[in-house]
Amino acid sequence: RRLTKDDMSSWRGGKDAGGEPSVDAQLEDLFTKLSQAAEQGSHKRALKCADDVLKISPGDADAIRCRVTALIELQRFADCAATIEKDVVDDALRRDLAFERAYALYKCGKVDESLRILQTETSQDERESTRAMQLEAQLMHRAGRHGEAATIYETLFRDRADDVVGSPNTAVNLAAALVAAGRGSDVAAALKRLKISPKDSFELAFNFACALLETGNLADAADYLTLAKNQGAETLMDEDLDEEAVADELLPIDAQRARVAEMLGRKEEAAEGYRAAMAIKSTDAATQAIAANNLAALVGPRGEGGADAMRQTQRFCDKDGKLNDALIGKLNEAQRRVLVINRAKALLHSNHLDRCRDALGTLRKLPGAEGAREAAMLEAALFMRKRKPEKAVKLLTDLIASGANGDGGAVRDARLALAQIHASAGDYAAAIEALKGVKELEGTAAGAATLVALHELAGDASGADAVLDGSGAAGG
């Protein structure tokens, strides 16, 4: 039995037969030191005291709790999780410390295991606590389940307002979850309802800018990104971070500013921003992956920094084209899809043809029609690289004939690719036939010019005149 304080008073300072302090006296002294260390915030000293107690009294519940708390405060999360997993044999204590174990695993990046423990091993009261709901929302966000994360945060602000309204981080996380869930249009109303200004912190300003970007408000998004950059630099400098650490923290803002510049048509500014983001020594793999992807798409493999960006995109996935675990929880579905597709394109451009072919299966399994469409185009390109144009033509012709399961974009891309193959082979009549079904070219100057050139190359002057006459009628 654990001695009570009254019990201790009867033997304080007692010694055993050998003149050494008794075990109970040693424990009392250690717990006194432990209590003092905890009150003073000296976590290293508290950890040492807890360890000393456990040497004398293995399995002591109070000492284990103190050890777990000290390890969390010292950010030794792996050691914390190991302590609970290996040293706690009492079922009741293990359940009491389930939240701490889940939190430690979350900080170690073990999202699935953390979520399982939080949802199955904590008590009902703990699961319904504010801290457990906040952790669950963060885990959902990391797992890519952004809609569920947003719902939990909204529930917290609705039902636990007194607990979370004063927490700026919770508002930041709510905005981030809404944006990631494709609900950027809801962010302004949510913050207004909570009487929170998007200018309250640089993190909130950044997430608000992302929401504006999603709704197409580029000018205001740019303004809020500038505000976030200035506020962030000032805040982080006040925290005595060095220049390199500040650059790392502000990396998402810089990368997003480059994205806005690209969307506004300022391509040189955007490319420079992406290159700068890639050059930063950072632990933020997700942001640098997006920057590399965007630069590769913007300048191509021959543009400045394009080849390096292409090489970086190849490292986003495993050999089968599946996205790395480190990126999955930090990107929304659209971002994950684009990265996987562009990684396969990078493999093609860098002539890793077998690896590109291995990635096609993953592309076809992506949600939506885009993955299957890109897989078909890449497979046709692979046939052309391997000098098998007849197989490329058959693949594209079959895709057009099938209607690509109703995907008009896939049919359009297949017709354009087929026209290019025929034109390259000198079969201009077949190229013209392939382009006839591309509605996007009808009535456009570019479409007319392409068809006129092909008719002339085919020696069909009357066909060229007919195109010109048709485009003139359309223009009138």
Side-chain angles (χ1 to χ4, degrees), residues 391-462:
K391 289 191 174 183
V393 169
K394 183 178 187 309
L395 171 68
L396 296 170
T397 302
D398 290 347
L399 184 64
I400 294 167
S402 71
N405 296 319
D407 181 6
V411 172
R412 175 203 62 218
D413 291 351
R415 285 188 174 279
L416 290 171
L418 190 60
Q420 185 175 9
I421 292 171
H422 286 313
S424 298
D427 192 347
Y428 303 114
I432 294 167
E433 189 64 29
L435 291 178
K436 283 182 179 179
V438 182
K439 293 183 179 180
E440 288 83 354
L441 292 178
E442 294 177 4
T444 67
T450 300
L451 288 171
V452 167
L454 288 171
H455 277 290
E456 289 178 346
L457 287 168
D460 182 9
S462 60

Side-chain angles (χ1 to χ4, degrees), residues 261-379:
E262 181 183 353
M263 296 177 75
L264 290 170
R266 304 199 294 263
K267 293 188 176 181
E268 285 300 320
E269 179 184 340
E272 181 57 36
Y274 291 139
R275 286 191 288 267
M278 290 170 58
I280 291 174
K281 185 178 180 180
S282 176
T283 57
D284 188 349
T287 298
Q288 291 199 310
I290 292 172
N293 173 77
N294 290 351
L295 180 63
L298 180 63
V299 304
R302 293 181 178 82
E304 183 181 352
D308 183 46
M310 286 283 186
R311 283 192 292 272
Q312 285 203 32
T313 62
Q314 294 175 31
R315 298 195 291 267
F316 299 158
C317 308
D318 63 18
K319 63 182 181 62
D320 296 320
K322 295 178 181 177
L323 202 63
N324 295 335
D325 290 341
L327 298 178
I328 289 176
K330 297 182 179 181
L331 303 172
N332 61 36
E333 184 178 294
Q335 290 170 327
R336 294 196 297 270
R337 184 170 61 248
V338 169
L339 287 182
V340 170
I341 290 171
N342 283 351
R343 180 257 184 185
K345 290 180 179 179
L347 290 171
L348 176 69
H349 284 297
S350 58
N351 220 33
H352 291 100
L353 304 187
D354 290 337
R355 289 171 63 193
C356 180
R357 180 171 293 282
D358 290 341
L360 297 182
T362 299
L363 262 61
R364 292 189 178 101
K365 295 175 184 177
L366 291 173
E370 187 179 4
R373 179 195 313 164
E374 294 292 349
M377 296 303 104
L378 283 170
E379 187 172 12

